[in-house]
Amino acid sequence: MGSLTASLVTPNRIGEYGAKAMYFVGNLRKKVLLVNLLHNSLQMLVTTVLGLIGFYLFVKTYQPNINYFKISRFAIAILVVGVLFIFGIKNSKLKIGGFRLDKLQKFFINFPKQKVILGSFYSLIRYATFSFQFFVLLQIFSVNLSFLDAMIIISTLYLLSSVIPSIFIFDVIVKGSIAVYLFSFAQINELTVLSIVSLMWIFNFVIPSLIGSFYVLKFKLPKTNSIT
């Protein structure tokens, strides 16, 4: 919670990497950064896979007017980045955040597979928790939408909002705008959608960050001899 609070002013809360590592002794911080990167990668993988399935079903169900040229251009850009990344791994001189790419590759390949599977499972549970929470709020607001139809829109919402950089204070605006657009295809009232997105933001970010501020204020660098 402390690292969540400390990272709120950074785009997509990327500052969580450094903030979380600060709670560990110096010789563990690099490992914590890499484990956190792996964790976020697994979460992004789950969001992307389920989001693409939801997006496909959304397009098939509601047939929105989509600029496929822009989507293709974006996909090509992602492909180019991926190719450059693979090339960078082979070129050990290239670095990301002070880590050589070949060492990053070695760390991820040698990471215990059982923990990767367990981390993927936890990422799926986390995704399901947020999604079901959104669906429950839809029911509380008496939105007449089946579970499957709701999940199609929710998964598409999470996919689109995950690729748009935003700072904490604007996160609710970005997600709210996307949610209003997507749920408009299901004829859901804008005020209802914005209310649900705002509640999700308060429950999952505002309240935890307020609790985390207590740990930020009491933060002290851990001593090296504090672990065994």
Side-chain angles (χ1 to χ4, degrees):
M1 288 185 176
S3 64
L4 170 66
T5 303
S7 67
L8 294 181
V9 295
T10 59
N12 281 21
R13 298 188 301 279
I14 195 172
E16 182 187 4
Y17 287 94
K20 187 174 292 183
M22 292 298 291
Y23 283 86
F24 294 83
V25 293
N27 61 324
L28 292 179
R29 286 173 189 164
K30 284 189 175 182
K31 185 175 182 180
V32 171
L33 284 171
L34 293 175
V35 172
N36 200 29
L37 174 61
L38 177 60
H39 151 70
N40 287 332
S41 299
L42 292 174
Q43 190 67 61
M44 188 62 186
L45 178 62
V46 170
T47 302
T48 301
V49 172
L50 296 179
L52 287 174
I53 295 174
F55 180 73
Y56 169 77
L57 294 174
F58 179 85
V59 173
K60 188 176 181 180
T61 302
Y62 298 104
Q63 299 181 348
N65 185 19
I66 297 176
N67 191 326
Y68 289 100
F69 174 74
K70 289 185 177 180
I71 294 180
S72 300
R73 189 170 58 182
F74 179 75
I76 292 173
I78 295 296
L79 181 61
V80 170
V81 171
V83 171
L84 291 176
F85 183 78
I86 294 174
F87 173 78
I89 289 177
K90 295 180 180 179
N91 186 349
S92 60
K93 293 182 180 180
L94 294 181
K95 296 182 179 181
I96 292 182
F99 295 99
R100 277 177 27 185
L101 292 182
D102 58 331
K103 290 189 175 182
L104 283 175
Q105 181 188 38
K106 185 177 179 181
F107 174 83
F108 292 137
I109 291 176
N110 295 331
F111 200 84
K113 299 300 183 293
Q114 298 89 340
K115 292 186 178 181
V116 173
I117 294 173
L118 185 61
S120 301
F121 175 73
Y122 284 148
S123 297
L124 184 60
I125 293 297
R126 183 172 183 242
Y127 184 92
T129 300
F130 280 103
S131 301
F132 188 70
Q133 183 184 35
F134 203 111
F135 176 73
V136 169
L137 288 173
L138 286 172
Q139 300 305 301
I140 292 176
F141 279 81
S142 301
V143 173
N144 185 22
L145 204 61
S146 69
F147 179 75
L148 178 59
D149 290 336
M151 287 307 303
I152 289 174
I153 299 177
I154 292 170
S155 59
T156 303
L157 165 63
Y158 287 160
L159 173 66
L160 296 179
S161 60
S162 66
V163 298
I164 300 178
S166 63
I167 298 177
F168 168 71
I169 193 64
F170 301 116
D171 191 53
V172 66
I173 300 176
V174 173
K175 286 185 178 178
S177 301
I178 299 173
V180 166
Y181 171 75
L182 294 176
F183 278 98
S184 66
F185 288 91
Q187 306 299 317
I188 307 302
N189 182 271
E190 294 182 2
L191 181 59
T192 298
V193 175
L194 289 175
S195 298
I196 293 174
V197 172
S198 298
L199 285 173
M200 290 283 293
W201 182 65
I202 292 172
F203 291 151
N204 299 303
F205 295 105
V206 175
I207 293 177
S209 66
L210 289 175
I211 299 173
S213 62
F214 170 78
Y215 298 103
V216 171
L217 292 174
K218 292 191 63 177
F219 173 76
K220 292 182 180 180
L221 284 172
K223 298 179 180 179
T224 304
N225 59 2
S226 62
I227 64 171
T228 58

